[in-house]
Amino acid sequence: MSSNAYDAVIIGGGIVGAACAAECAAEKLKVAIVEARIVGGGATAAGMGHLVVMDDSEAQFALTRYSQELWDELREELPREVEYEACGTIWVATDDEELAEVSRKQKFYSERRVKVEVLDAQALAEAEPNLRRGLVGGLRVPGDSVIYPPCAAQFLIERAVRAGAELVLGRRVEAITREGVRLADGSSLSAGLVVNAAGSWSPQLTPALSVKKRKGLLVITDRYPQFVRHQLVELGYLKSAHSVTSDSVAFNIQPRQTGQLLIGSSRQYGADDSVVDSSILTRMLARAVEYLPGLGKLSALRAWTGFRAATPDKLPLIGPGSENDRLYLATGHEGLGITTSLGTAKLLVDQIMNRAPEIPITPYLPSRMANSRLSTLVFDVSDG
Ligand SMILES: Cc1cc2nc3c(=O)[nH]c(=O)nc-3n(C[C@H](O)[C@H](O)[C@H](O)COP(=O)(O)OP(=O)(O)OC[C@H]3O[C@@H](n4cnc5c(N)ncnc54)[C@H](O)[C@@H]3O)c2cc1C
């Protein structure tokens, strides 16, 4: 019998911490979730909520695919406010080079049994009549979907609490100790293990982490139902390069269940403040109008920023940390943490319970960062 107050203390009530808490509690572990502010108020509130299968690497594919299947399984249980919408994605091609990427993606996904459909110019125009003329085609991925992330995090926290977890809200973890965590008010929680799921704040508690903040900007419009029907993403990132060397924007738009349009996306390194940068905003909207000329006539309601927690190899850190033998990490999800939260929670708990995982765990283990050149690799991504 353990003398700790908890089997597991999870730091962070974003979607990743919430998913981990729900999974730990389902295994009958005695869990506390410590959230400094509000549930789902960090990157989770700032994100787009695109549940997307990605193909930048086999490991990224495996985790996004696995997680998407877990979201599909949960679908019937999600309350209405999670706004689950099976709208699918269309990757949009503007020229022959991007059309070649459509073929590559089609092959990649089909070989891995993900349903996809190649659209020619006419089929693309029929699927999305507001896209400009002259586009050459696209790839539809009908299994992708969208959710409203803060409500999804709340749903997962409530699941955890119903299974016996305790939510410690409005209290900040100041330090991870050998016994558990010390809170900013001076009190402590003892725990057999501590999960650092504090997203872009995780290096504050575990300073050796290779996690950097990557700022993103989104805009939401008034209600224009059916203006777009799928999540639309440009393939132009191949050329414009979402890279570490400069700020970048890419066309990415999402139809919300409310009829609103969520317009993204941007990426900035080294920007620590949450200010909406007007030059990035202008570039991002201009890019969107290049694809959807009618967008220029619609009203935007609000713009905001958030911080992705980026790792050098674009994969999250899931598993034991090296600083302390009680420490586990569930962080570094960059632009895919809404999608991969459920897979992350399963892989974390498989390790805690000493169980065989459904997908190979090695690519996500934090130990890969030790003695590797990873911290010097170029950051370059194409997801949310
Ligand atoms: C603009 C943008 C668009 C995105 N679009 C998508 C998308 O379409 N699809 C997708 O899958 N992902 C997307 N993402 C990524 C996704 O939002 C994140 O990967 C995900 O939300 C990370 O969740 P998290 O729980 O790790 O972090 P967070 O949501 O940031 O949660 C961390 C929590 O920890 C708490 N915390 C921090 N420090 C402490 C402490 N010391 N003590 C207690 N609590 C603490 C914070 O208050 C916060 O609530 C996007 C991100 C951005 C910024």
Side-chain angles (χ1 to χ4, degrees):
M1 197 65 186
S2 159
S3 59
N4 295 308
Y6 299 97
D7 296 318
V9 166
I10 292 166
I11 308 169
I15 196 142
V16 172
C20 292
E23 203 58 39
C24 285
E27 291 296 334
K28 307 262 179 293
L29 298 179
K30 189 156 188 264
V31 175
I33 311 131
V34 188
E35 167 52 56
R37 298 181 297 164
I38 57 166
V39 167
T44 299
M48 268 189 138
H50 186 202
L51 303 181
V52 56
V53 177
M54 292 291 292
D55 62 348
D56 284 1
S57 64
E58 288 292 350
Q60 190 192 59
F61 172 80
L63 186 59
T64 53
R65 177 65 170 154
Y66 177 42
S67 298
Q68 194 180 63
E69 286 167 354
L70 294 169
W71 280 110
D72 287 347
E73 282 171 25
L74 207 55
R75 184 178 170 169
E76 296 301 317
E77 292 173 56
L78 296 174
R80 225 167 34 142
E81 58 270 21
V82 174
E83 297 180 10
Y84 181 99
E85 192 68 44
C87 59
T89 304
I90 298 180
W91 295 89
V92 180
T94 60
D95 60 21
D96 287 348
E97 188 185 349
E98 290 172 21
L99 213 49
E101 177 63 4
V102 165
S103 302
R104 190 202 60 78
K105 269 184 179 302
Q106 187 255 345
K107 185 167 181 289
F108 182 95
Y109 286 132
S110 303
E111 284 172 357
R112 289 158 186 80
R113 295 193 301 280
V114 176
K115 204 171 147 204
V116 290
E117 187 188 341
V118 174
L119 307 178
D120 62 15
Q122 191 186 336
L124 179 63
E126 280 164 16
E128 292 291 348
N130 283 312
L131 280 172
R132 77 166 161 83
R133 297 305 95 159
L135 296 168
V136 296
L139 187 74
R140 175 158 36 204
V141 188
D144 289 350
S145 50
V146 305
I147 55 169
Y148 183 51
C151 288
Q154 184 64 36
F155 163 77
L156 292 167
I157 290 280
E158 284 168 14
R159 261 193 152 202
V161 168
R162 270 200 309 278
E166 190 180 325
L167 176 61
V168 181
L169 201 56
R171 289 166 78 193
R172 190 171 62 80
V173 172
E174 189 175 70
I176 297 170
T177 65
R178 299 208 65 78
E179 290 75 37
V181 296
R182 188 174 66 247
L183 304 182
D185 62 12
S187 63
S188 294
L189 303 177
S190 63
L193 59 97
V194 174
V195 181
N196 183 347
S200 64
W201 292 272
S202 52
Q204 290 179 5
L205 296 166
T206 312
L209 286 184
S210 269
V211 170
K212 285 191 195 167
K213 281 180 165 186
R214 204 167 200 193
K215 187 173 173 179
L217 167 63
L218 295 179
V219 172
I220 194 147
T221 69
D222 210 336
R223 293 167 193 246
Y224 303 99
Q226 295 296 305
F227 186 83
V228 300
R229 301 158 182 178
H230 302 80
Q231 178 110 12
L232 301 178
V233 191
E234 70 164 272
L235 285 164
Y237 68 84
L238 295 170
K239 284 168 280 180
S240 65
H242 260 15
S243 83
V244 68
T245 47
S246 59
D247 300 341
S248 64
V249 298
F251 168 60
N252 189 342
I253 191 163
Q254 178 179 100
R256 302 289 325 160
Q257 225 174 48
T258 54
Q260 293 171 288
L261 301 166
L262 192 50
I263 307 168
S265 63
S266 70
R267 287 188 142 79
Q268 282 178 278
Y269 272 115
D272 267 358
D273 60 66
S274 55
V275 169
V276 172
D277 179 324
S278 60
S279 71
I280 297 280
L281 178 66
T282 306
R283 274 174 61 194
M284 195 178 86
L285 292 177
R287 187 78 181 157
V289 171
E290 272 177 42
Y291 284 81
L292 291 164
L295 202 60
K297 298 198 179 69
L298 310 187
S299 316
L301 295 181
R302 200 163 71 83
W304 66 87
T305 61
F307 293 96
R308 306 170 181 92
T311 63
D313 63 356
K314 301 156 65 172
L315 294 172
L317 303 166
I318 309 169
S322 53
E323 291 73 6
N324 171 334
D325 57 11
R326 297 185 187 211
L327 176 66
Y328 280 75
L329 303 171
T331 184
H333 293 77
E334 227 276 351
L336 287 170
I338 309 299
T339 306
T340 56
S341 54
L342 297 186
T344 295
K346 287 274 184 207
L347 295 181
L348 180 87
V349 173
D350 287 340
Q351 292 176 78
I352 292 170
M353 306 301 286
N354 233 335
R355 243 176 5 207
E358 287 281 322
I359 61 171
I361 182 75
T362 315
Y364 322 107
L365 291 177
S367 54
R368 73 186 186 275
M369 293 293 167
N371 307 320
S372 83
R373 289 188 316 107
L374 279 174
S375 56
T376 62
L377 287 181
V378 172
F379 286 70
D380 178 46
V381 284
S382 52
D383 37 72

